[in-house]
Amino acid sequence: MPSSFFVLEKPYNVYCLKSQFQNIRSAYMRIGIVGTGRMGSVISKCLVSNYTLTLYNRSSQRAKVLADELKAQYVDEPLGLSTCEVILLSVPADQIATVAAEVAAFCKTDTIIVNTATKAFISTELRSRHPHVYFVDAKIIGHAGSMEFGQSAYVIIDTSEKLFKPLKNIFSLIGTVERGDSKLAPTLSTLATEVGIRAAVLLKSELAPYHLAPELEKVLIESIGAGTMKAYINGDLGHFGQEIARRIEAEIGVEE
């Protein structure tokens, strides 16, 4: 059983907390995580209390630092992942094909390799070259920074019923999980990202004539701007915000 099984330090995701003592046997399943950037780090922190983790990063010592923090195993080559039952790939889209092939070459039969890169998908050619493993596309719709501080994500896993059950148990520590076509995820994530950035850029531009202190500008954008978006979608606007929302909805033509 992992030494960190009963210890969880902040600011780990609240989804980790609710499952800390759930399914104790899962602690004996070894999960490999390839890529320890923003999303890979968040995934690792969410899973460490329930699973035995092995971390690997191709190009830096970031994985070793994170492994030390989480008291997880660190390996410096794909061969070190050969004992894992499930391996999650959290690397940039343009590296998925190469990394997936490198990892698959050392995997035992029936290992599940999960691609979490939003804009990359496992090719038919790659699947045919490595028939001894299962390749799965799973898309995490969520912002890594927000997820680390408790915001839930939404995960779409494109796989069979047989593989969905164990993967659902894993990803439920991150957020809501569904089995379905993951190809829509890049479009949805891009749309939300572009609209969010557009709103931030527009607000920053509107504030420019006031020559505000950077600290105040940050509060207006990060706290009021982003906070109001969250309150709107959660139905938690105050009276002032509700009036503005009704006016904008009328302008855009949003039906109640």
Side-chain angles (χ1 to χ4, degrees):
M1 186 177 294
S3 59
S4 59
F5 185 77
F6 294 107
V7 179
L8 189 64
E9 298 177 356
K10 295 180 179 179
Y12 297 169
N13 195 310
V14 292
Y15 273 86
C16 309
L17 290 170
K18 73 177 184 180
S19 299
Q20 187 165 5
F21 298 103
Q22 181 181 354
N23 192 11
I24 294 177
R25 291 186 64 188
S26 69
Y28 295 98
M29 176 186 285
R30 181 168 292 280
I31 296 179
I33 298 179
V34 180
T36 51
R38 296 189 71 186
M39 186 61 78
S41 295
V42 171
I43 293 172
S44 299
K45 291 172 182 179
C46 284
L47 302 187
V48 69
S49 293
N50 288 67
Y51 295 95
T52 301
L53 300 185
T54 297
L55 308 185
Y56 167 61
N57 194 306
R58 297 174 69 203
S59 59
S60 74
Q61 290 297 304
R62 185 180 293 168
K64 188 176 188 308
V65 173
L66 182 63
D68 288 344
E69 177 188 343
L70 301 180
K71 296 179 174 59
Q73 181 184 15
Y74 161 74
V75 296
D76 58 6
E77 59 181 354
L79 177 61
L81 299 167
S82 61
T83 60
C84 297
E85 287 88 356
V86 178
I87 299 174
L88 309 182
L89 307 182
S90 183
V91 299
D94 61 357
Q95 297 179 22
I96 282 294
T98 301
V99 174
E102 288 179 353
V103 170
F106 297 100
C107 286
K108 59 187 178 182
T109 300
D110 292 340
T111 298
I112 305 173
I113 299 177
V114 184
N115 159 37
T116 67
T118 302
K119 293 187 176 182
F121 295 87
I122 300 296
S123 67
T124 302
E125 187 270 338
L126 185 59
R127 295 175 192 272
S128 64
R129 277 169 45 202
H130 302 280
H132 68 295
V133 301
Y134 297 105
F135 286 106
V136 174
D137 288 308
K139 306 308 175 188
I140 301 172
I141 301 177
H143 185 270
S146 299
M147 288 166 58
E148 186 166 9
F149 288 93
Q151 183 69 49
S152 65
Y154 199 96
V155 185
I156 303 175
I157 303 177
D158 200 341
T159 190
S160 64
E161 283 280 4
K162 174 184 175 182
L163 299 183
F164 179 67
K165 183 176 180 180
L167 293 179
K168 182 179 180 181
N169 289 338
I170 293 170
F171 283 101
S172 65
L173 296 171
I174 297 173
T176 302
V177 184
E178 76 165 53
R179 175 172 170 258
D181 187 352
S182 61
K183 291 183 175 59
L184 185 59
T187 300
L188 299 178
S189 293
T190 299
L191 176 61
T193 300
E194 288 185 353
V195 171
I197 292 175
R198 190 181 301 278
V201 171
L202 177 60
L203 179 52
K204 185 177 178 66
S205 175
E206 294 280 348
L207 294 173
Y210 296 95
H211 305 289
L212 302 174
E215 294 81 5
L216 176 55
E217 183 181 83
K218 182 178 180 181
V219 168
L220 290 167
I221 297 173
E222 186 179 69
S223 180
I224 297 182
T228 300
M229 291 177 69
K230 184 175 181 179
Y232 173 77
I233 202 65
N234 289 330
D236 193 34
L237 288 171
H239 180 70
F240 176 66
Q242 291 176 27
E243 288 185 349
I244 295 176
R246 284 192 291 269
R247 172 171 57 79
I248 294 176
E249 288 172 346
E251 292 173 358
I252 295 176
V254 175
E255 295 183 4
E256 295 185 3

